[in-house]
Amino acid sequence: MKITRGDRAFGIINGLFLILIAAACLYPIIHVINGSFSDPLLLQSHTGLLLTPDGFTTKAYEVVFKRGDIYTGYCNTIFLVLCGTAINLVMTSCGAFLLSRQKFIPKNFLMLMVVITMYFSGGLIPTFLLYKNTYHIYNSYLALLLPGAISSWNLIVMRTSFQGIPRELEESAYIDGANDFVVLIRVILPLSTATIAVMALFYGVSHWNSWFAAMIYLKDRSKYPLQLFLREMLVLQDGAGVTTEEEMLAENLKYATIVVATVPILFIYPFIQRYFVKGVMVGALKG
């Protein structure tokens, strides 16, 4: 295939455009990291881009890790991510498998119900009253894990992925005496590794970043996830209980807290990146 000048020009322009987008996405992270290590006095008077730390100090991180809230938040968040993602994957896989069966008669009606939930909800106040007075899961981790056990969008993507698996493989398993559960575990899931990895990433990041539901449904401070403590550091830092050292390092503390809360989830992405494009494409296109 002959490459023309137009192809080369398009490649160069496209590459430059992608580099600009990458720089625009990467710079805020660089700014936050450099700000967390900068001298507080120099940081307050700094203007323009912050490409390197303005001075160097680790006082902000020392203050952050002295707070017991950070360790409590980390433990709670890790628990929610592991348990929540496991529940999400099990429920989504079972639901997608059921809705992908050709002989399952109510599948079209159930799919309609799933799609409706993407556009309509009961509202915050009715949902709060339902969780508190009917389900009795207020101030419990169940209020964060069970209501969002299945994402409608992820269910549709995984269902489409399952439908793309050749039926001959399932039929051969049924002939050998396998039931639906065995077909799901031994045939469907091993062939859907990329999609499952992407779903795990989506669900895991969602649990890691979640703070609003915890703010609404959790009353016990010992159950707060990391992101809720991060919100307190960023939004409520000017309130009572702030020491003189924290007041002087206010801006640095915000940056340091963001880094502490963000870096762990960033390290997970490179291990799942190779599945990302394949998993999304397989789940988006049938055939």
Side-chain angles (χ1 to χ4, degrees):
M1 183 177 178
K2 185 178 180 180
I3 300 177
T4 64
R5 291 183 178 180
D7 294 333
R8 294 192 183 94
F10 174 78
I12 294 173
I13 295 174
N14 192 39
L16 293 175
F17 180 69
L18 293 177
I19 290 174
L20 291 175
I21 293 178
C25 296
L26 187 61
Y27 175 72
I29 301 176
I30 296 175
H31 182 93
V32 169
I33 294 175
N34 290 334
S36 66
F37 287 106
S38 297
D39 183 272
L41 298 179
L42 296 176
L43 181 63
Q44 292 177 5
S45 59
H46 182 86
T47 57
L49 299 177
L50 188 63
L51 300 177
T52 58
D54 203 349
F56 186 84
T57 179
T58 59
K59 290 182 179 179
Y61 288 96
E62 294 173 6
V63 173
V64 167
F65 285 110
K66 283 180 182 178
R67 298 173 63 101
D69 295 345
I70 295 297
Y71 298 100
T72 301
Y74 257 116
C75 293
N76 294 337
T77 297
I78 291 173
F79 172 79
L80 290 172
V81 169
L82 295 178
C83 293
T85 303
I87 293 173
N88 294 142
L89 292 179
V90 171
M91 298 297 292
T92 305
S93 300
C94 293
F97 178 75
L98 181 65
L99 295 175
S100 65
R101 303 301 88 194
Q102 291 181 344
K103 297 182 180 179
F104 184 61
I105 298 176
K107 66 176 182 178
N108 292 331
F109 172 76
L110 292 179
M111 276 304 304
L112 177 62
M113 295 296 101
V114 170
V115 172
I116 286 177
T117 62
M118 298 174 64
Y119 299 97
F120 302 98
S121 66
L124 180 59
I125 296 177
T127 302
F128 177 84
L129 296 176
L130 181 69
Y131 293 172
K132 183 176 182 180
N133 300 329
T134 304
Y135 296 155
H136 304 289
I137 57 176
Y138 176 70
N139 196 34
S140 169
Y141 285 138
L142 295 178
L144 309 182
L145 298 176
L146 295 184
I150 297 180
S151 165
S152 300
W153 174 259
N154 292 342
L155 177 66
I156 294 172
V157 171
M158 189 171 287
R159 167 183 171 268
T160 307
S161 174
F162 288 175
Q163 288 177 332
I165 297 175
R167 296 294 177 186
E168 292 78 8
L169 296 176
E170 302 177 26
E171 292 173 359
S172 64
Y174 286 125
I175 292 174
D176 291 337
N179 54 31
D180 289 336
F181 182 77
V182 174
V183 170
L184 174 62
I185 299 297
R186 298 287 184 86
V187 179
I188 301 297
L189 295 182
L191 295 175
S192 305
T193 306
T195 303
I196 294 173
V198 173
M199 294 298 105
L201 177 64
F202 286 167
Y203 281 125
V205 171
S206 176
H207 284 296
W208 185 274
N209 292 330
S210 178
W211 61 271
F212 184 75
M215 183 182 68
I216 298 297
Y217 301 118
L218 294 183
K219 180 176 64 175
D220 189 351
R221 187 178 177 83
S222 64
K223 297 180 180 179
Y224 281 7
L226 179 63
Q227 300 300 333
L228 204 52
F229 290 120
L230 172 62
R231 175 184 177 272
E232 290 185 354
M233 291 285 291
L234 298 180
V235 179
L236 306 177
Q237 196 178 38
D238 295 333
V242 178
T243 64
T244 305
E245 184 179 20
E246 292 179 352
E247 185 177 355
M248 183 182 67
L249 295 168
E251 201 68 21
N252 302 69
L253 282 175
K254 293 179 181 180
Y255 290 142
T257 308
I258 293 173
V259 172
V260 168
T262 305
V263 166
I265 201 66
L266 290 180
F267 280 112
I268 297 176
Y269 181 78
F271 297 100
I272 307 180
Q273 182 180 9
R274 60 194 180 105
Y275 299 108
F276 192 82
V277 176
K278 181 181 177 182
V280 173
M281 292 302 295
V282 169
L285 300 175
K286 181 181 178 182

